[in-house]
Amino acid sequence: MNNTHESQSGAEPSEVSPTSLIHYTGTFYFPIAFVARLPFAMMVVGVLTAVVSARGSLSFAGLSSAMVGLGTAVVGPLLGASADRFGQRVVLLLAGVTNGLLLVGFAWAVNSTMSNAAILAIAFVIGTTAPQVGPMSRTRLVRIISERLAPARKVRSFNSTMAYESAADETVFIVGPFLVGLLASMVAPWLPLVAAGVLTIMFVTAFALHPTSTMQSREDDGKAEVAPLRSLAHPGLVSVVVGILGVGLFFGATLTSLTAFMNDQGTPERAGLVYGVMGVGSAGLALAVALFPTRFTLRARWLVFSSLILAGTMTLPFAGSVTHLVMALAIIGVGVGPTLVTQYSIGSALSPAGRSTTVMTILGSAVIVGQSLGSAITGAIGERFGSTAALALPSGAASLVVLAGVSYWFFADRGVHGGDERGLPTSTPTDSALEMSGAR
């Protein structure tokens, strides 16, 4: 799978005249990749909504959505490892078509006489086949930047790309639940799952067939050594996984607790609209991360912005009005975007040789697992103890994000392997390289 541009020009990286990322991706790459990742953010909430409507049990609905997260946790990283070994195209095509059909089938099954056990099994398989578009997109783009752009353009392109990718993830995790609520309330509770299935089959297939999926690494022709799986257990990388799991828990706990609060107000259908307020500041600040000075190190950004999330969430249980919630969420959103960008940037820098897709998939899976668990736990507590108790849970998730940031700071001081001097992945990372990148 040789790169088309290479085969046509035969030029070395230093001889290639184009210096822009879009030269290699093409005009339509980013819209395709954005829409292709949208169903990933819809499936947990879509399953929750459909099951509540069809089976009339919030606790069983929470368990069903948790099974989606469990499936993603178990198999998601294996999909990433398979993509590292066999290429993204075949993995995405198989996962995308299977997942799309399962989403449509679940919409029928949950409204049938099928047993609860069978419903849980299908929910689990939906999670196992969820296409990891976001992580694979990051892997493609980072590879292009690190291996094909001129050295003078790498740092700026890397920072801008990681900022955009994290903003895109943040946006879909806001827009996805909003679309689920809109379609479910205006048409039928099963429609979001059918829509997600159709989008998956169409756009994940388009993403899989995009030429960037076959852009082979210059180090991949069977000559480069692939790091062993045990290298993924590096303490610094584990801290990043735990931190991004905390962000996923925050997403799930926040949306579900907002739903409980708005239900008390008699307008549960407006929960998605209130939740969307958080996405405005989050996406904007995520994009602005590319403009941050290098002296504002990655580990410092993690602690600063995650602390802002924690401070905002601590006010939620005391919300006496929708206005209070909106103000708190606007402040929280300022912290969410930069935190995600920082975590993905560090994760990219810590990726062992030949394991970049695996690492990015683990991080992407951690978000959906956290969202599933957060939704299930918060739903159960909200149903039993009320919306005030539910609104206290996002601060617990935010605390986990902060603690993971502290842990990463500790391991960075002790010498964490990473990337090159700007945080770009390398095949043989060194301690001093990551220190120069600002991650230490």
Side-chain angles (χ1 to χ4, degrees):
M1 293 186 295
N2 293 326
N3 181 286
T4 303
H5 299 283
E6 268 189 76
S7 61
Q8 289 177 345
S9 65
E12 295 298 323
S14 60
E15 298 172 352
V16 176
S17 55
T19 57
S20 65
L21 179 62
I22 201 169
H23 167 78
Y24 295 101
T25 62
T27 306
F28 297 105
Y29 174 83
F30 290 99
I32 290 172
F34 181 85
V35 178
R37 74 183 76 193
L38 189 57
F40 192 74
M42 295 174 65
M43 63 183 186
V44 171
V45 182
V47 166
L48 183 72
T49 302
V51 174
V52 165
S53 173
R55 301 289 167 123
S57 171
L58 182 59
S59 59
F60 180 66
L63 181 59
S64 299
S65 64
M67 290 299 290
V68 176
L70 179 61
T72 304
V74 172
V75 180
L78 298 180
L79 293 179
S82 298
D84 277 329
R85 182 175 179 82
F86 304 110
Q88 290 190 11
R89 177 167 290 181
V90 63
V91 174
L92 282 168
L93 287 174
L94 290 174
V97 173
T98 303
N99 187 254
L101 294 175
L102 284 169
L103 286 169
V104 174
F106 189 89
W108 167 83
V110 76
N111 288 284
S112 70
T113 57
M114 191 173 290
S115 68
N116 285 350
I119 294 299
L120 293 177
I122 298 174
F124 177 81
V125 180
I126 286 175
T128 65
T129 57
Q132 306 284 332
V133 175
M136 292 192 187
S137 177
R138 281 183 177 82
T139 300
R140 294 187 195 185
L141 299 179
V142 168
R143 174 173 290 175
I144 293 171
I145 292 168
S146 62
E147 298 183 358
R148 287 170 170 79
L149 294 192
R153 298 294 302 272
K154 287 184 178 182
V155 175
R156 183 174 180 181
S157 294
F158 176 78
N159 290 336
S160 299
T161 299
M162 294 303 288
Y164 166 77
E165 285 289 303
S166 295
D169 277 344
E170 169 66 12
T171 301
V172 298
F173 273 98
I174 298 295
V175 174
F178 175 78
L179 283 179
V180 170
L182 187 66
L183 294 174
S185 61
M186 292 186 65
V187 185
W190 52 263
L191 184 58
L193 288 175
V194 174
V198 172
L199 287 176
T200 297
I201 293 173
M202 291 178 59
F203 284 89
V204 172
T205 298
F207 180 73
L209 296 177
H210 192 274
T212 55
S213 67
T214 58
M215 292 182 73
Q216 186 80 351
S217 170
R218 298 181 189 278
E219 298 177 349
D220 278 354
D221 299 314
K223 301 175 183 178
E225 182 178 347
V226 177
L229 283 174
R230 65 177 178 273
S231 63
L232 298 175
H234 189 281
L237 186 56
V238 171
S239 296
V240 178
V241 174
V242 173
I244 211 162
L245 173 68
V247 174
L249 286 168
F250 164 78
F251 284 150
T254 302
L255 178 58
T256 307
S257 61
L258 285 178
T259 302
F261 180 87
M262 296 305 293
N263 186 55
D264 290 345
Q265 307 297 311
T267 54
E269 69 278 0
R270 294 180 58 192
L273 296 176
V274 177
Y275 183 70
V277 172
M278 185 174 63
V280 177
S282 181
L285 264 292
L287 292 172
V289 167
L291 304 177
F292 289 172
T294 55
R295 63 179 177 274
F296 188 12
T297 62
L298 293 177
R299 63 179 183 173
R301 296 176 194 179
W302 187 340
L303 288 181
V304 167
F305 289 107
S306 62
S307 296
L308 184 59
I309 299 173
L310 178 58
T313 55
M314 291 178 69
T315 70
L316 293 179
F318 306 101
S321 66
V322 176
T323 301
H324 182 165
L325 279 179
V326 168
M327 292 175 62
L329 290 171
I331 295 172
I332 293 169
V334 173
V336 173
T339 300
L340 267 180
V341 174
T342 300
Q343 291 171 330
Y344 275 117
S345 296
I346 296 174
S348 177
L350 299 183
S351 298
R355 299 289 184 184
S356 58
T357 304
T358 306
V359 170
M360 290 295 104
T361 304
I362 289 173
L363 297 182
S365 298
V367 175
I368 203 71
V369 170
Q371 186 192 36
S372 301
L373 292 176
S375 296
I377 295 171
T378 306
I381 290 179
E383 186 175 274
R384 183 170 182 179
F385 300 106
S387 61
T388 300
L391 285 168
L393 296 183
S395 62
S399 297
L400 179 62
V401 180
V402 173
L403 289 175
V406 173
S407 172
Y408 176 73
W409 187 295
F410 171 76
F411 288 120
D413 272 340
R414 294 188 61 183
V416 174
H417 298 291
D420 72 5
E421 68 275 9
R422 300 297 184 182
L424 291 168
T426 63
S427 56
T428 55
T430 63
D431 291 344
S432 60
L434 190 58
E435 183 173 7
M436 294 175 66
S437 75
R440 289 185 56 184

